[in-house]
Amino acid sequence: MGLVRRALRSRLTAGIAAGAAVLVVTACGAPDKGTAEKDAKADPSEAAASTTDAPAGVADPTHAVPLPGPFDGKQYGDDLLLVSEDTISEEDLATITGVTVRGKKGVAAYTRLSYGQFTVESKVFNIAAVDPGEYRRFTGPSAAAFQPQWDRVAGGEIAVADRLQKDLPLDSKGYLAIDDQRIHVGSWSPGGVDGIDAVVNAKWGGELDLPEANAVLINTGITSPQAVRRKIEKAAGKTTYSITALDAVEQNGLDLDTFQTVVPVGSFRDAVGVFRYTPIGGGRIAPDPAWVKAHIVTEVVPILGSVTCNRHMMPQLKAALGEIQTSGLADKIHPGEYAGCYYPRFIAGSTQLSNHSFGLALDLNVPGNQRGTVGQMDRVVVAIFKKWGFAWGGDWAYTDPMHFELARIVSPG
């Protein structure tokens, strides 16, 4: 959202900004007031590199970076998000940030991010490892001024957009599971950057194996974001980086003028790789044909017959269905009620991807296993799927008992 639009919204929310973000637990200690903020060009990895001892009183000293210090009021709009599958070189960064439009500088301010995606209960969420002191400048007045939120991120916790409170289940102690890591949620934030659902600091970025500094968040000042994007695409290569106009995301949840890049974190990186797709309207997406050719296959499996799924999942799917068949439970799965595995589209009624987009999930016995119900899925069948590395939607907070998805890699041997 542009800075002018943020300013207009801030007038409507004046007087409540300081209390807008909701902290999950009581602060663990007073912030270090002496830590200086870095400039807007800072690489988030520098914060981690400069840490020798964790600040006193932080929630997670192992993952803490220096606290950002008090906010000085300097803010920028979040106009463009540029993402690469790998670290953006200094040379390319200079090209990107040096573009001009009609003789005027196109990039007024920027900050570097480590950016990727994680999956919880089949929904895909965007996460960024940031320099808290600089990233806050792009998040809008309410979030930027809320000092405890940024101290929490620096102290090793995660800040999550408050619109996701119902979508991201936490354990009883307020921890969010991302792959095989548990991160304490320090803040549900009403402000933020469109297209980024959660932020952590650079140490957590390394722990989650996010590609280092593979994204740039850009403010174009008074210059049109679309004009700047066209200049960047021409200078840096249109197919090299995905560049999302965040004002388009804010208005309708989609930027139909560009492809999007998904860089998964954790154990599914090999199965998904770098997933590029273009929104094509009507809830549909068009994945990169090269990705489809490399990852999606049609094969015959026990009980169900011919299915189209991610090739990395096929060995485990065949093993699970084979064991179900040899256990005399084949009649518990109804081939005529199989609803598919690979279908490249957004989750119904949203602009979020699911694991079906990657061919890593399948829906079985649909009529008797609707969302929000206990379902009729045979529990021995469920146990066999779990043995072979699948998660079951019947275990979720909002149940989806027809749904099985790859949760971990298991070799059939």
Side-chain angles (χ1 to χ4, degrees):
M1 173 186 308
L3 188 56
V4 172
R5 294 188 294 278
R6 288 203 187 284
L8 289 173
R9 186 174 69 180
S10 70
R11 294 172 189 169
L12 298 176
T13 58
I16 63 172
V22 179
L23 296 180
V24 174
V25 296
T26 304
C28 297
D32 177 0
K33 302 294 185 181
T35 304
E37 293 180 310
K38 294 177 171 58
D39 63 30
K41 301 177 179 61
D43 183 334
S45 63
E46 294 176 1
S50 66
T51 303
T52 54
D53 297 302
V58 301
D60 185 357
T62 302
H63 296 100
V65 301
L67 298 178
F71 185 48
D72 64 7
K74 186 183 295 183
Q75 297 180 60
Y76 308 108
D78 57 331
D79 295 317
L80 298 174
L81 178 63
L82 181 148
V83 179
S84 171
E85 58 187 89
D86 297 310
T87 299
I88 298 172
S89 69
E90 294 298 330
E91 181 180 359
D92 283 355
L93 181 66
T95 298
I96 292 163
T97 58
V99 298
T100 59
V101 177
R102 296 178 180 177
K104 296 181 179 180
K105 189 171 177 61
V107 176
Y110 68 90
T111 186
R112 304 181 74 176
L113 317 171
S114 297
Y115 180 84
Q117 286 75 26
F118 65 95
T119 302
V120 175
E121 297 187 352
S122 197
K123 295 180 179 178
V124 179
F125 300 94
N126 302 317
I127 185 171
V130 306
D131 177 337
E134 289 310 320
Y135 178 80
R136 71 193 298 180
R137 301 184 188 281
F138 296 80
T139 63
S142 296
F146 195 76
Q147 187 67 35
Q149 174 170 256
W150 306 110
D151 289 340
R152 292 294 186 85
V153 172
E157 297 177 86
I158 186 170
V160 183
D162 66 351
R163 56 186 165 76
L164 299 178
Q165 289 194 50
K166 294 181 179 180
D167 294 317
L168 288 176
L170 310 184
D171 66 18
S172 59
K173 295 185 178 180
Y175 283 84
L176 172 65
I178 298 180
D179 200 42
D180 58 352
Q181 301 287 348
R182 293 171 65 252
I183 309 178
H184 192 263
V185 176
S187 174
W188 296 105
S189 175
V193 172
D194 299 309
I196 297 178
D197 301 314
V199 296
V200 293
N201 66 33
K203 279 199 171 181
W204 263 120
E207 194 84 12
L208 295 171
D209 201 24
L210 286 168
E212 184 177 352
N214 69 319
V216 184
L217 180 60
I218 293 171
N219 168 241
T220 64
I222 61 173
T223 307
S224 161
Q226 297 291 359
V228 175
R229 177 166 72 177
R230 288 192 292 269
K231 288 289 187 176
I232 292 175
E233 288 174 343
K234 184 176 180 180
K238 187 171 183 177
T239 61
T240 303
Y241 304 107
S242 64
I243 309 174
T244 301
L246 297 177
D247 57 348
V249 172
E250 181 197 41
Q251 291 167 20
N252 54 34
L254 294 173
D255 181 357
L256 298 178
D257 294 330
T258 186
F259 66 87
Q260 310 292 319
T261 300
V262 176
V263 186
V265 303
S267 58
F268 297 122
R269 184 162 295 174
D270 289 339
V272 176
V274 176
F275 181 78
R276 291 184 171 184
Y277 70 94
T278 303
I280 55 177
R284 298 170 299 150
I285 65 171
D288 177 8
W291 184 92
V292 176
K293 183 177 180 180
H295 290 81
I296 301 301
V297 296
T298 299
E299 297 181 4
V300 175
V301 301
I303 305 175
L304 295 176
S306 179
V307 300
T308 300
C309 300
N310 192 302
R311 66 181 180 86
H312 289 271
M313 190 177 77
M314 281 296 192
Q316 290 171 234
L317 178 59
K318 290 178 179 178
L321 291 171
E323 183 170 338
I324 290 166
Q325 189 172 54
T326 59
S327 299
L329 298 170
D331 63 335
K332 303 298 182 181
I333 295 177
H334 312 144
E337 298 175 355
Y338 166 65
C341 177
Y342 170 64
Y343 38 93
R345 60 183 300 115
F346 295 110
I347 295 171
S350 77
T351 56
Q352 282 185 298
L353 298 176
S354 79
N355 277 344
H356 283 289
S357 299
F358 312 133
L360 294 174
L362 68 159
D363 292 333
L364 302 174
N365 298 5
V366 172
N369 292 280
Q370 296 298 302
R371 293 217 68 176
T373 69
V374 175
Q376 302 170 4
M377 193 67 65
D378 184 90
R379 296 312 191 255
V380 179
V381 168
V382 170
I384 292 172
F385 267 107
K386 288 182 177 180
K387 170 186 172 182
W388 288 105
F390 290 83
W392 179 47
D395 292 330
W396 298 348
Y398 182 53
T399 58
D400 190 5
M402 73 178 72
H403 184 93
F404 293 87
E405 66 179 42
L406 196 65
R408 67 185 193 282
I409 303 299
V410 175
S411 175

